[in-house]
Tab-separated table of all heavy atoms in Angstrom:
chain	number	residue	atom	x	y	z
A	250	ASP	N	155.199	-93.351	-70.445
A	250	ASP	CA	155.631	-93.621	-71.832
A	250	ASP	C	156.778	-92.729	-72.313
A	250	ASP	O	157.082	-92.695	-73.504
A	250	ASP	CB	154.458	-93.478	-72.818
A	250	ASP	CG	153.394	-94.530	-72.601
A	250	ASP	OD1	153.730	-95.606	-72.059
A	250	ASP	OD2	152.225	-94.297	-72.959
A	251	SER	N	157.413	-92.026	-71.382
A	251	SER	CA	158.494	-91.120	-71.799
A	251	SER	C	159.703	-91.883	-72.337
A	251	SER	O	160.511	-91.341	-73.090
A	251	SER	CB	158.923	-90.215	-70.646
A	251	SER	OG	159.394	-90.997	-69.564
A	252	ASP	N	159.810	-93.170	-71.948
A	252	ASP	CA	160.949	-93.969	-72.399
A	252	ASP	C	160.714	-94.616	-73.767
A	252	ASP	O	161.638	-95.146	-74.375
A	252	ASP	CB	161.249	-95.067	-71.371
A	252	ASP	CG	160.034	-95.954	-71.094
A	252	ASP	OD1	158.895	-95.460	-71.225
A	252	ASP	OD2	160.219	-97.134	-70.739
A	253	LYS	N	159.477	-94.569	-74.257
A	253	LYS	CA	159.167	-95.175	-75.552
A	253	LYS	C	159.467	-94.189	-76.676
A	253	LYS	O	159.157	-93.005	-76.563
A	253	LYS	CB	157.686	-95.576	-75.606
A	253	LYS	CG	157.317	-96.693	-74.652
A	253	LYS	CD	155.844	-97.053	-74.796
A	253	LYS	CE	155.443	-98.142	-73.808
A	253	LYS	NZ	153.986	-98.429	-73.897
A	254	PRO	N	160.035	-94.669	-77.790
A	254	PRO	CA	160.313	-93.767	-78.913
A	254	PRO	C	159.020	-93.379	-79.633
A	254	PRO	O	157.991	-94.053	-79.504
A	254	PRO	CB	161.221	-94.594	-79.822
A	254	PRO	CG	160.849	-96.017	-79.526
A	254	PRO	CD	160.480	-96.057	-78.069
A	255	PHE	N	159.079	-92.298	-80.387
A	255	PHE	CA	157.961	-91.882	-81.240
A	255	PHE	C	157.608	-93.031	-82.182
A	255	PHE	O	158.491	-93.666	-82.769
A	255	PHE	CB	158.389	-90.636	-82.027
A	255	PHE	CG	157.350	-90.103	-82.983
A	255	PHE	CD1	156.038	-89.917	-82.594
A	255	PHE	CD2	157.705	-89.770	-84.296
A	255	PHE	CE1	155.081	-89.410	-83.475
A	255	PHE	CE2	156.766	-89.267	-85.182
A	255	PHE	CZ	155.454	-89.090	-84.769
A	256	VAL	N	156.323	-93.312	-82.304
A	256	VAL	CA	155.859	-94.486	-83.054
A	256	VAL	C	156.384	-94.531	-84.492
A	256	VAL	O	156.587	-95.616	-85.062
A	256	VAL	CB	154.309	-94.567	-83.020
A	256	VAL	CG1	153.680	-93.407	-83.796
A	256	VAL	CG2	153.811	-95.902	-83.562
A	257	LEU	N	156.631	-93.356	-85.083
A	257	LEU	CA	157.102	-93.311	-86.470
A	257	LEU	C	158.604	-93.015	-86.578
A	257	LEU	O	159.098	-92.762	-87.675
A	257	LEU	CB	156.300	-92.269	-87.263
A	257	LEU	CG	154.820	-92.601	-87.490
A	257	LEU	CD1	154.074	-91.398	-88.046
A	257	LEU	CD2	154.677	-93.808	-88.421
A	258	ASP	N	159.289	-93.069	-85.440
A	258	ASP	CA	160.720	-92.729	-85.420
A	258	ASP	C	161.519	-93.458	-86.495
A	258	ASP	O	162.271	-92.851	-87.254
A	258	ASP	CB	161.325	-93.051	-84.045
A	258	ASP	CG	161.775	-91.795	-83.319
A	258	ASP	OD1	161.519	-90.688	-83.840
A	258	ASP	OD2	162.361	-91.915	-82.237
A	259	LYS	N	161.352	-94.773	-86.559
A	259	LYS	CA	162.176	-95.545	-87.486
A	259	LYS	C	161.730	-95.398	-88.938
A	259	LYS	O	162.420	-95.862	-89.848
A	259	LYS	CB	162.192	-97.024	-87.083
A	259	LYS	CG	160.837	-97.720	-87.102
A	259	LYS	CD	160.976	-99.156	-86.594
A	259	LYS	CE	159.623	-99.859	-86.550
A	259	LYS	NZ	159.738	-101.228	-86.010
A	260	HIS	N	160.580	-94.730	-89.146
A	260	HIS	CA	160.086	-94.544	-90.512
A	260	HIS	C	160.158	-93.086	-90.980
A	260	HIS	O	159.728	-92.782	-92.096
A	260	HIS	CB	158.634	-95.024	-90.612
A	260	HIS	CG	158.461	-96.480	-90.303
A	260	HIS	ND1	159.104	-97.472	-91.006
A	260	HIS	CD2	157.723	-97.100	-89.341
A	260	HIS	CE1	158.768	-98.656	-90.511
A	260	HIS	NE2	157.936	-98.455	-89.495
A	261	THR	N	160.676	-92.193	-90.134
A	261	THR	CA	160.678	-90.768	-90.473
A	261	THR	C	161.397	-90.488	-91.795
A	261	THR	O	160.864	-89.785	-92.664
A	261	THR	CB	161.320	-89.943	-89.333
A	261	THR	OG1	160.555	-90.138	-88.144
A	261	THR	CG2	161.318	-88.462	-89.679
A	262	SER	N	162.582	-91.048	-91.960
A	262	SER	CA	163.320	-90.802	-93.206
A	262	SER	C	162.624	-91.461	-94.390
A	262	SER	O	162.629	-90.924	-95.505
A	262	SER	CB	164.765	-91.293	-93.090
A	262	SER	OG	164.796	-92.683	-92.814
A	263	ASP	N	161.987	-92.616	-94.165
A	263	ASP	CA	161.230	-93.279	-95.233
A	263	ASP	C	160.048	-92.417	-95.668
A	263	ASP	O	159.781	-92.281	-96.871
A	263	ASP	CB	160.704	-94.639	-94.758
A	263	ASP	CG	161.808	-95.631	-94.468
A	263	ASP	OD1	162.861	-95.552	-95.131
A	263	ASP	OD2	161.627	-96.480	-93.575
A	264	ILE	N	159.347	-91.865	-94.684
A	264	ILE	CA	158.196	-91.008	-95.001
A	264	ILE	C	158.638	-89.800	-95.817
A	264	ILE	O	158.024	-89.465	-96.843
A	264	ILE	CB	157.478	-90.574	-93.697
A	264	ILE	CG1	156.743	-91.771	-93.084
A	264	ILE	CG2	156.514	-89.417	-93.959
A	264	ILE	CD1	156.218	-91.528	-91.676
A	265	ASP	N	159.714	-89.153	-95.389
A	265	ASP	CA	160.208	-87.977	-96.130
A	265	ASP	C	160.602	-88.347	-97.557
A	265	ASP	O	160.349	-87.584	-98.502
A	265	ASP	CB	161.398	-87.354	-95.406
A	265	ASP	CG	161.000	-86.679	-94.104
A	265	ASP	OD1	159.786	-86.479	-93.885
A	265	ASP	OD2	161.897	-86.352	-93.300
A	266	ARG	N	161.203	-89.500	-97.726
A	266	ARG	CA	161.656	-89.928	-99.061
A	266	ARG	C	160.483	-90.393	-99.931
A	266	ARG	O	160.332	-89.953	-101.071
A	266	ARG	CB	162.669	-91.070	-98.886
A	266	ARG	CG	163.167	-91.699	-100.172
A	266	ARG	CD	164.285	-92.698	-99.865
A	266	ARG	NE	163.910	-93.667	-98.848
A	266	ARG	CZ	163.234	-94.803	-99.098
A	266	ARG	NH1	162.841	-95.081	-100.340
A	266	ARG	NH2	162.944	-95.644	-98.120
A	267	LEU	N	159.641	-91.255	-99.379
A	267	LEU	CA	158.562	-91.853	-100.167
A	267	LEU	C	157.440	-90.871	-100.471
A	267	LEU	O	156.801	-90.952	-101.529
A	267	LEU	CB	158.001	-93.074	-99.427
A	267	LEU	CG	158.991	-94.228	-99.209
A	267	LEU	CD1	158.420	-95.233	-98.216
A	267	LEU	CD2	159.319	-94.910	-100.532
A	268	PHE	N	157.190	-89.946	-99.541
A	268	PHE	CA	156.108	-88.976	-99.727
A	268	PHE	C	156.642	-87.630	-100.233
A	268	PHE	O	155.926	-86.640	-100.226
A	268	PHE	CB	155.321	-88.798	-98.423
A	268	PHE	CG	154.422	-89.966	-98.106
A	268	PHE	CD1	154.943	-91.154	-97.599
A	268	PHE	CD2	153.052	-89.900	-98.344
A	268	PHE	CE1	154.132	-92.244	-97.324
A	268	PHE	CE2	152.227	-90.982	-98.075
A	268	PHE	CZ	152.772	-92.167	-97.564
A	269	GLY	N	157.875	-87.634	-100.698
A	269	GLY	CA	158.506	-86.398	-101.171
A	269	GLY	C	158.327	-86.139	-102.653
A	269	GLY	O	159.028	-85.300	-103.216
A	270	SER	N	157.409	-86.826	-103.295
A	270	SER	CA	157.199	-86.649	-104.737
A	270	SER	C	156.437	-85.364	-105.038
A	270	SER	O	155.795	-84.780	-104.165
A	270	SER	CB	156.422	-87.847	-105.294
A	270	SER	OG	156.160	-87.672	-106.665
A	271	SER	N	156.494	-84.938	-106.284
A	271	SER	CA	155.784	-83.726	-106.713
A	271	SER	C	154.365	-84.025	-107.189
A	271	SER	O	153.666	-83.139	-107.663
A	271	SER	CB	156.561	-83.031	-107.832
A	271	SER	OG	156.695	-83.910	-108.944
A	272	SER	N	153.925	-85.282	-107.060
A	272	SER	CA	152.551	-85.634	-107.455
A	272	SER	C	152.069	-86.820	-106.631
A	272	SER	O	152.871	-87.584	-106.067
A	272	SER	CB	152.483	-86.006	-108.941
A	272	SER	OG	153.144	-87.244	-109.185
A	273	MET	N	150.758	-86.996	-106.574
A	273	MET	CA	150.167	-88.127	-105.866
A	273	MET	C	150.550	-89.436	-106.550
A	273	MET	O	150.878	-90.432	-105.884
A	273	MET	CB	148.638	-87.954	-105.827
A	273	MET	CG	147.925	-88.933	-104.910
A	273	MET	SD	148.392	-88.784	-103.184
A	273	MET	CE	148.781	-90.502	-102.811
A	274	GLU	N	150.544	-89.428	-107.875
A	274	GLU	CA	150.948	-90.623	-108.621
A	274	GLU	C	152.394	-90.989	-108.307
A	274	GLU	O	152.739	-92.171	-108.185
A	274	GLU	CB	150.792	-90.396	-110.124
A	274	GLU	CG	149.351	-90.280	-110.599
A	274	GLU	CD	148.807	-88.849	-110.560
A	274	GLU	OE1	149.403	-87.991	-109.872
A	274	GLU	OE2	147.797	-88.597	-111.224
A	275	GLY	N	153.235	-89.959	-108.171
A	275	GLY	CA	154.642	-90.183	-107.857
A	275	GLY	C	154.828	-90.858	-106.505
A	275	GLY	O	155.706	-91.717	-106.327
A	276	ILE	N	153.992	-90.476	-105.518
A	276	ILE	CA	154.065	-91.104	-104.193
A	276	ILE	C	153.755	-92.592	-104.301
A	276	ILE	O	154.474	-93.443	-103.750
A	276	ILE	CB	153.099	-90.414	-103.209
A	276	ILE	CG1	153.601	-89.016	-102.867
A	276	ILE	CG2	152.928	-91.255	-101.930
A	276	ILE	CD1	152.642	-88.194	-102.034
A	277	LEU	N	152.700	-92.931	-105.038
A	277	LEU	CA	152.339	-94.345	-105.185
A	277	LEU	C	153.419	-95.117	-105.928
A	277	LEU	O	153.711	-96.269	-105.584
A	277	LEU	CB	150.988	-94.476	-105.898
A	277	LEU	CG	149.767	-94.331	-104.971
A	277	LEU	CD1	148.482	-94.331	-105.763
A	277	LEU	CD2	149.745	-95.451	-103.940
A	278	GLN	N	154.024	-94.497	-106.925
A	278	GLN	CA	155.132	-95.141	-107.643
A	278	GLN	C	156.301	-95.397	-106.693
A	278	GLN	O	156.908	-96.467	-106.711
A	278	GLN	CB	155.570	-94.275	-108.821
A	278	GLN	CG	154.589	-94.283	-109.986
A	278	GLN	CD	154.863	-93.178	-111.007
A	278	GLN	OE1	155.859	-92.462	-110.917
A	278	GLN	NE2	153.969	-93.042	-111.982
A	279	ASN	N	156.604	-94.413	-105.855
A	279	ASN	CA	157.680	-94.569	-104.866
A	279	ASN	C	157.403	-95.747	-103.933
A	279	ASN	O	158.292	-96.559	-103.638
A	279	ASN	CB	157.828	-93.303	-104.015
A	279	ASN	CG	158.437	-92.140	-104.769
A	279	ASN	OD1	158.992	-92.316	-105.857
A	279	ASN	ND2	158.329	-90.945	-104.206
A	280	LEU	N	156.169	-95.822	-103.454
A	280	LEU	CA	155.802	-96.867	-102.504
A	280	LEU	C	155.899	-98.257	-103.144
A	280	LEU	O	156.408	-99.205	-102.540
A	280	LEU	CB	154.379	-96.633	-101.979
A	280	LEU	CG	154.185	-95.401	-101.079
A	280	LEU	CD1	152.703	-95.148	-100.827
A	280	LEU	CD2	154.928	-95.557	-99.750
Side-chain angles (χ1 to χ4, degrees):
D250 294 335
S251 60
D252 56 331
K253 293 181 182 177
F255 179 48
V256 67
L257 293 169
D258 246 6
K259 62 184 178 182
H260 299 301
T261 299
S262 60
D263 295 329
I264 289 169
D265 290 347
R266 176 173 52 85
L267 297 168
F268 286 76
S270 178
S271 60
S272 69
M273 190 62 231
E274 291 89 343
I276 290 173
L277 277 174
Q278 287 166 6
N279 288 346
L280 292 170

